[in-house]
């Protein structure tokens, strides 16, 4: 499974995800400044999971704008450049068994998942 990490994800988290064995495409490295629509196109083309801190993508998922064979991980925790917080978030993401087909919110309460197309 491919993770596409948004521009707002710190390098340290990208590195922690890679070290955990994830295949990661970091928007900031491969095509900085692209539109949200281009990010969604990239995710759809690769049947990937988008990792972001941008709540706008969460709203898009609620409106049904994510393909069902993709996924969204919305991080609602403060993550800075320190490697410890990034390693913790990477471990949390790694514990989610099925990241496709839904919105996964990572916050101080842990994780919660909602399938795409299902009301709150």
């Amino acid at each position: 499974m491919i993770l596409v990490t948004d521009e707002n994800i710190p390098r340290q988290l990208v590195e922690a995800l890679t070290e955990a064995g994830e295949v990661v495409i970091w928007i900031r490295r491969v095509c900085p400044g692209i539109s949200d629509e281009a990010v969604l196109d990239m995710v759809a083309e690769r049947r990937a999971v988008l990792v972001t801190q941008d709540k706008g993508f969460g709203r898009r998922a609620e409106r049904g704008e994510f393909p069902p064979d993709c996924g969204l991980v919305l991080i609602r925790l403060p993550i800075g450049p320190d490697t410890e917080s990034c390693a913790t978030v990477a471990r949390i993401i790694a514990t989610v068994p099925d990241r496709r087909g839904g919105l996964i919110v990572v916050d101080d309460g842990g994780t919660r998942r909602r399938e795409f197309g299902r009301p709150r």
Side-chain angles (χ1 to χ4, degrees):
M1 177 179 316
I2 297 171
L3 300 179
V4 173
T5 54
D6 202 5
E7 284 185 290
N8 59 22
I9 299 299
R11 175 185 50 80
Q12 293 84 348
L13 179 52
V14 172
E15 291 171 352
L17 289 166
T18 303
E19 289 171 11
E22 302 287 353
V23 176
V24 180
I25 299 171
W26 190 26
I27 298 290
R28 192 183 310 174
R29 180 174 295 139
V30 297
C31 44
I34 65 171
S35 67
D36 288 355
E37 289 76 20
V39 171
L40 285 177
D41 288 344
M42 179 183 288
V43 169
E45 288 170 8
R46 291 164 175 77
R47 296 182 59 227
V49 174
L50 176 62
V51 179
T52 186
Q53 292 182 291
D54 184 342
K55 292 187 287 187
F57 283 110
R59 288 188 290 274
R60 286 174 174 264
E62 290 174 349
R63 292 191 304 256
E65 296 178 23
F66 269 78
D69 58 349
C70 296
L72 174 61
V73 175
L74 181 61
I75 300 171
R76 304 304 306 148
L77 288 172
I79 50 175
D82 67 288
T83 54
E84 185 175 327
S85 69
C86 291
T88 299
V89 171
R91 279 193 302 276
I92 291 169
I93 291 172
T95 64
V96 178
D98 185 12
R99 292 175 268 183
R100 285 193 181 125
L103 164 64
I104 298 156
V105 178
V106 179
D107 60 19
D108 56 2
T111 62
R112 58 188 189 280
R113 184 180 195 284
R114 186 171 60 246
E115 290 182 34
F116 291 149
R118 295 186 83 188
R120 286 183 176 210

